[in-house]
């Protein structure tokens, strides 16, 4: 298991990867990606029980599904640096015929990607299906998923959330990235969702609140606590508060960097705040 400093170094390099990917093609979603760097790092480097290599069926290992697929830059970086495909392939992000499309897809056969997640609101349903499949197969491993808070404005989520509790899908840990930002502004201005913890609890879930999803130790503790609560008759949710654009001072606390790439000068400033730790691709 990596120590805290190794995880922090991993996070810093992931942030550099995110920035460089979207800058090169002047396209992509850096804000949410930067905010979730700690979560992805801890999940893949510390928490998940993963096999060497990649098998689409995912038997006898933990699975992860990214529902808010537009934050693909952080997903691709962590997958590459966790050994799923060459780190150098990050250089092909969003290029024609690349396996690293703007939203993850499966037909290119990119290791680590199990579903296409360009359309929001569907990841919860897929994760529940995978979790049920593991139960039917006698596989005791867990299913993890990540969702945007703005994404929860999609109604299909709540049908799935209701189903998961009713059918006691207790091998599922769903995390909500509560950064309060979406493409058109603050979530409370676009469509307020109220108390997400109370909502999930009312639907029958066991809910944890992660107060600072950009603190490595808090992320580790929350995911370990969530694991300890599985297998007890309820699906588990983590409401994870993060800062959009975290790690780059001029990108933080605003929806304006939801889907905008930095220019040359902005990239230089952003990279200066995230020095190279593991080696650039």
């Amino acid at each position: 298991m990596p120590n805290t400093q190794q995880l922090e170094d991993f996070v810093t390099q992931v942030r550099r990867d995110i920035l460089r990917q979207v800058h090169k093609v002047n396209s992509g979603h850096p804000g949410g990606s930067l905010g979730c760097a700690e979560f992805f790092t801890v999940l893949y480097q510390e928490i998940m029980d993963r096999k060497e290599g990649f098998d689409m069926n995912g038997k006898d290992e933990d699975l992860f599904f990214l529902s808010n697929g537009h934050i693909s830059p952080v997903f691709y970086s962590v997958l590459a640096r966790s050994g799923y495909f060459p780190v150098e392939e990050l250089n092909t992000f969003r290029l024609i015929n690349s396996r690293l499309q703007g939203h993850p897809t499966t037909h290119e056969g990119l290791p680590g990607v199990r579903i296409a997640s360009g359309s929001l609101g569907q990841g919860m349903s897929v994760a529940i299906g995978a979790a049920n499949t593991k139960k039917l197969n006698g596989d005791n491993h867990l299913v993890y998923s990540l969702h945007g808070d703005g994404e929860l404005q999609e109604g299909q989520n709540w049908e799935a959330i209701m189903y998961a509790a009713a059918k006691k899908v207790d091998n599922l840990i769903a995390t909500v990235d509560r950064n309060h930002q979406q493409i058109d502004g603050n979530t409370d201005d676009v469509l307020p969702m109220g108390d997400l913890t109370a909502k999930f609890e009312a639907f029958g879930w066991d809910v944890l609140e992660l107060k600072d999803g950009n603190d490595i130790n808090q992320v580790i503790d929350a995911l370990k606590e969530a694991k300890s609560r599985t297998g007890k008759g309820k699906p588990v949710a983590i409401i994870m508060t993060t800062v959009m654009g975290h790690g780059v001072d001029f990108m933080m606390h605003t929806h304006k960097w939801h889907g905008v790439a930095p220019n040359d000068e902005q990239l230089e400033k952003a990279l200066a705040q995230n020095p190279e730790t593991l080696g650039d691709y």
Side-chain angles (χ1 to χ4, degrees):
M1 290 289 183
N3 60 38
T4 301
Q5 186 58 56
Q6 289 172 320
L7 291 172
E8 294 280 10
D9 289 345
F10 196 100
V11 167
T12 301
Q13 190 64 50
V14 166
R15 287 204 166 97
R16 287 182 66 88
D17 291 347
I18 293 166
L19 294 161
R20 295 178 68 233
Q21 285 176 83
V22 298
H23 169 263
K24 178 179 178 181
V25 291
N26 193 30
S27 179
H29 296 78
S33 294
L34 291 166
C36 286
E38 286 85 0
F39 171 80
F40 275 90
T41 295
V42 170
L43 187 66
Y44 275 87
Q45 292 295 302
E46 178 88 10
I47 297 296
M48 285 177 64
D49 182 6
R50 304 185 289 117
K51 289 181 179 178
E52 290 293 322
F54 178 69
D55 170 22
M56 181 60 91
N57 289 323
K59 293 181 179 178
D60 300 316
E61 64 177 327
D62 293 343
L63 303 182
F64 171 73
F65 295 97
L66 174 63
S67 189
N68 49 330
H70 56 276
I71 64 168
S72 60
V74 64
F75 192 25
Y76 294 152
S77 171
V78 171
L79 285 177
R81 294 191 180 275
S82 298
Y84 285 91
F85 57 87
V87 174
E88 294 75 19
E89 193 168 349
L90 296 176
N91 229 351
T92 71
F93 176 67
R94 278 185 175 247
L95 297 181
I96 294 175
N97 297 323
S98 169
R99 298 196 297 178
L100 277 61
Q101 291 300 301
H103 295 75
T105 60
T106 55
H107 63 273
E108 289 93 349
L110 185 66
V113 175
R114 300 183 186 278
I115 62 166
S117 52
S119 299
L120 294 174
Q122 300 177 4
M124 181 72 74
S125 299
V126 176
I128 290 168
N132 272 333
T133 299
K134 284 195 174 293
K135 283 179 172 285
L136 289 170
N137 289 338
D139 182 345
N140 293 322
H141 286 79
L142 301 176
V143 174
Y144 296 84
S145 61
L146 179 66
H147 313 265
D149 51 359
E151 181 186 10
L152 294 185
Q153 294 163 353
E154 298 270 4
Q156 180 177 329
N157 288 293
W158 297 100
E159 296 179 53
I161 290 165
M162 178 170 59
Y163 175 93
K167 301 302 180 181
K168 297 180 170 56
V169 185
D170 58 1
N171 55 340
L172 170 65
I173 298 174
T175 299
V176 177
D177 176 21
R178 190 72 165 119
N179 62 22
H180 295 275
Q181 307 293 334
Q182 59 189 105
I183 191 169
D184 290 326
N186 188 290
T187 53
D188 288 338
D189 295 330
V190 177
L191 182 62
M193 287 173 286
D195 188 337
L196 287 180
T197 296
K199 280 184 166 65
F200 271 87
E201 288 177 342
F203 273 71
W205 285 55
D206 188 5
V207 187
L208 293 78
E209 291 186 347
L210 172 50
K211 298 298 185 182
D212 186 353
N214 298 119
D215 182 293
I216 281 284
N217 290 315
Q218 287 191 39
V219 176
I220 293 171
D221 291 345
L223 283 167
K224 287 183 176 179
E225 174 64 21
K227 284 182 67 174
S228 75
R229 298 191 188 188
T230 59
K232 298 180 180 179
K234 291 185 176 184
V236 179
I238 302 173
I239 308 302
M240 177 179 70
T241 300
T242 67
V243 174
M244 178 171 278
H246 195 272
V248 179
D249 57 9
F250 60 86
M251 292 186 174
M252 295 171 65
H253 303 289
T254 174
H255 72 283
K256 293 180 180 179
W257 289 96
H258 171 88
V260 176
N263 60 30
D264 291 350
E265 181 182 354
Q266 291 165 335
L267 176 67
E268 185 177 350
K269 290 179 179 178
L271 292 180
Q273 297 174 39
N274 293 274
E276 188 175 354
T277 54
L278 305 182
D280 288 337
Y281 55 87

